């Protein structure tokens, strides 16, 4: 939603960022949903961001995972997403808008946590090779932590 972000812009019919996020979500969940269970069917996913304070892509993926599981759509595994950046040689997870604005590398990863299969990877800006392994490991662990939280929500049936 245009009112949810810190920046204001006139909404075009389809802006570039919305199209990019839409394709990213489609590609992410095509890798996880058991599509063979739904021949000649279409699953539509709609995401509306009410407040944008950074990490919207990750939140959209995590919320979509929860909604699909809650709807009974069979999946190979959860898809959990987490973003990270490097600030003064320290990896920061689950970054907000202020941390995104540092103009450092923004590393977004969507993973199927049980198999650690990466289904989506996005890197904005350059990330030095020395930091890559640390950021990947920490981001995958962040995705596993998110899976635990999603599991709790599903088991309590309060999603």
């Amino acid at each position: 939603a245009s009112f949810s972000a810190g920046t204001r812009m006139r909404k075009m019919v389809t802006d570039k960022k919305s199209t990019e996020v839409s394709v990213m979500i489609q590609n992410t969940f095509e890798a996880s949903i058991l599509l063979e269970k739904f021949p000649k069917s279409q699953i539509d996913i709609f995401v509306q961001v009410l407040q944008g304070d950074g990490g919207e892509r990750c939140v959209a993926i995590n919320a979509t995972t929860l909604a699909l599981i809650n709807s009974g759509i069979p999946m190979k595994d959860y898809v959990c997403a987490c973003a990270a950046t490097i600030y003064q040689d320290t990896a920061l997870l689950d970054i907000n808008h202020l941390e995104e604005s540092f103009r450092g590398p923004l590393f977004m990863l969507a993973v199927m946590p049980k198999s650690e299969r990466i289904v989506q990877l996005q890197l904005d800006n350059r990330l030095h090779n020395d930091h890559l392994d640390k950021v990947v490991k920490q981001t995958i662990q962040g995705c596993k932590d998110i899976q635990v939280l999603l599991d709790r929500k599903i088991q309590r049936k309060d999603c």
Side-chain angles (χ1 to χ4, degrees):
S2 61
F3 62 84
S4 68
T7 58
R8 300 279 186 227
M9 58 186 215
R10 290 178 52 207
K11 175 92 169 143
M12 305 300 236
V13 176
T14 55
D15 61 61
K16 185 178 177 182
K17 185 175 180 181
S18 295
T19 304
E20 176 187 322
V21 171
S22 177
V23 169
M24 180 198 63
I25 290 174
Q26 178 181 351
N27 292 340
T28 299
F29 286 99
E30 281 179 349
S32 179
I33 296 173
L34 297 173
L35 296 173
E36 60 274 5
K37 302 265 185 187
F38 302 97
K40 300 180 183 178
S41 297
Q42 176 176 322
I43 299 171
D44 291 329
I45 298 171
F46 295 93
V47 178
Q48 184 174 13
V49 177
L50 298 178
Q51 180 177 346
D53 185 30
E56 290 88 1
R57 291 176 276 180
C58 296
V59 170
I61 289 171
N62 295 330
T64 300
T65 296
L66 198 57
L68 290 170
I69 291 170
N70 195 38
S71 300
I73 305 290
M75 298 172 61
K76 297 172 188 167
D77 189 6
Y78 287 52
V79 176
C80 298
C82 192
T85 190
I86 293 288
Y87 181 71
Q88 297 178 349
D89 290 333
T90 303
L92 304 176
L93 280 181
D94 192 26
I95 56 179
N96 61 27
H97 181 70
L98 178 64
E99 293 161 340
E100 278 183 10
S101 67
F102 291 144
R103 296 288 178 222
L106 177 59
F107 184 81
M108 197 278 300
L109 193 64
V111 175
M112 289 190 219
K114 290 179 186 170
S115 64
E116 293 188 4
R117 179 175 171 218
I118 296 172
V119 293
Q120 188 67 242
L121 184 142
Q122 186 168 357
L123 177 62
D124 299 345
N125 295 332
R126 295 180 183 176
L127 177 65
H128 196 276
N129 199 27
D130 294 345
H131 299 297
L132 183 63
D133 192 46
K134 175 173 60 173
V135 171
V136 169
K137 285 179 182 175
Q138 206 163 358
T139 308
I140 288 174
Q141 185 57 50
C143 291
K144 288 181 178 184
D145 294 343
I146 290 169
Q147 184 210 359
V148 170
L149 295 173
L150 295 179
D151 258 342
R152 283 189 206 148
K153 283 287 191 193
I154 291 168
Q155 288 170 357
R156 281 195 252 143
K157 299 195 187 313
D158 60 350
C159 55

PDB file of all heavy atoms in Angstrom, residues 5 83 96 116 125 157:
ATOM      1  N   ALA A   5       4.731   3.010   3.283  1.00  0.00           N
ATOM      2  CA  ALA A   5       6.173   3.206   3.174  1.00  0.00           C
ATOM      3  C   ALA A   5       6.541   4.648   3.506  1.00  0.00           C
ATOM      4  O   ALA A   5       5.702   5.543   3.478  1.00  0.00           O
ATOM      5  CB  ALA A   5       6.643   2.857   1.767  1.00  0.00           C
ATOM      6  N   ALA A  83      16.418 -11.459   5.934  1.00  0.00           N
ATOM      7  CA  ALA A  83      17.343 -10.538   5.282  1.00  0.00           C
ATOM      8  C   ALA A  83      18.475 -10.191   6.239  1.00  0.00           C
ATOM      9  O   ALA A  83      18.297 -10.209   7.459  1.00  0.00           O
ATOM     10  CB  ALA A  83      16.631  -9.266   4.845  1.00  0.00           C
ATOM     11  N   ASN A  96      15.606  -3.455   9.528  1.00  0.00           N
ATOM     12  CA  ASN A  96      14.491  -2.535   9.347  1.00  0.00           C
ATOM     13  C   ASN A  96      14.869  -1.461   8.319  1.00  0.00           C
ATOM     14  O   ASN A  96      15.955  -1.487   7.743  1.00  0.00           O
ATOM     15  CB  ASN A  96      14.082  -1.915  10.689  1.00  0.00           C
ATOM     16  CG  ASN A  96      15.181  -1.118  11.337  1.00  0.00           C
ATOM     17  OD1 ASN A  96      16.060  -0.578  10.671  1.00  0.00           O
ATOM     18  ND2 ASN A  96      15.145  -1.036  12.660  1.00  0.00           N
ATOM     19  N   GLU A 116      17.537 -27.068   3.921  1.00  0.00           N
ATOM     20  CA  GLU A 116      18.404 -25.910   3.681  1.00  0.00           C
ATOM     21  C   GLU A 116      18.524 -25.586   2.193  1.00  0.00           C
ATOM     22  O   GLU A 116      19.507 -25.014   1.743  1.00  0.00           O
ATOM     23  CB  GLU A 116      19.789 -26.091   4.311  1.00  0.00           C
ATOM     24  CG  GLU A 116      19.774 -26.120   5.809  1.00  0.00           C
ATOM     25  CD  GLU A 116      21.157 -26.105   6.431  1.00  0.00           C
ATOM     26  OE1 GLU A 116      22.162 -25.994   5.699  1.00  0.00           O
ATOM     27  OE2 GLU A 116      21.228 -26.191   7.678  1.00  0.00           O
ATOM     28  N   ASN A 125      23.487  -4.444  -3.888  1.00  0.00           N
ATOM     29  CA  ASN A 125      24.815  -3.890  -3.622  1.00  0.00           C
ATOM     30  C   ASN A 125      25.848  -5.010  -3.493  1.00  0.00           C
ATOM     31  O   ASN A 125      25.510  -6.179  -3.478  1.00  0.00           O
ATOM     32  CB  ASN A 125      24.846  -2.985  -2.389  1.00  0.00           C
ATOM     33  CG  ASN A 125      24.006  -1.750  -2.560  1.00  0.00           C
ATOM     34  OD1 ASN A 125      23.807  -1.280  -3.675  1.00  0.00           O
ATOM     35  ND2 ASN A 125      23.505  -1.214  -1.464  1.00  0.00           N
ATOM     36  N   LYS A 157      -2.746 -22.993  16.611  1.00  0.00           N
ATOM     37  CA  LYS A 157      -3.865 -22.661  15.730  1.00  0.00           C
ATOM     38  C   LYS A 157      -4.344 -21.220  15.926  1.00  0.00           C
ATOM     39  O   LYS A 157      -5.542 -20.938  15.886  1.00  0.00           O
ATOM     40  CB  LYS A 157      -5.022 -23.634  15.898  1.00  0.00           C
ATOM     41  CG  LYS A 157      -4.656 -25.051  15.575  1.00  0.00           C
ATOM     42  CD  LYS A 157      -5.872 -25.897  15.407  1.00  0.00           C
ATOM     43  CE  LYS A 157      -5.599 -27.358  15.237  1.00  0.00           C
ATOM     44  NZ  LYS A 157      -4.634 -27.827  14.367  1.00  0.00           N
TER      45      LYS A 157
END
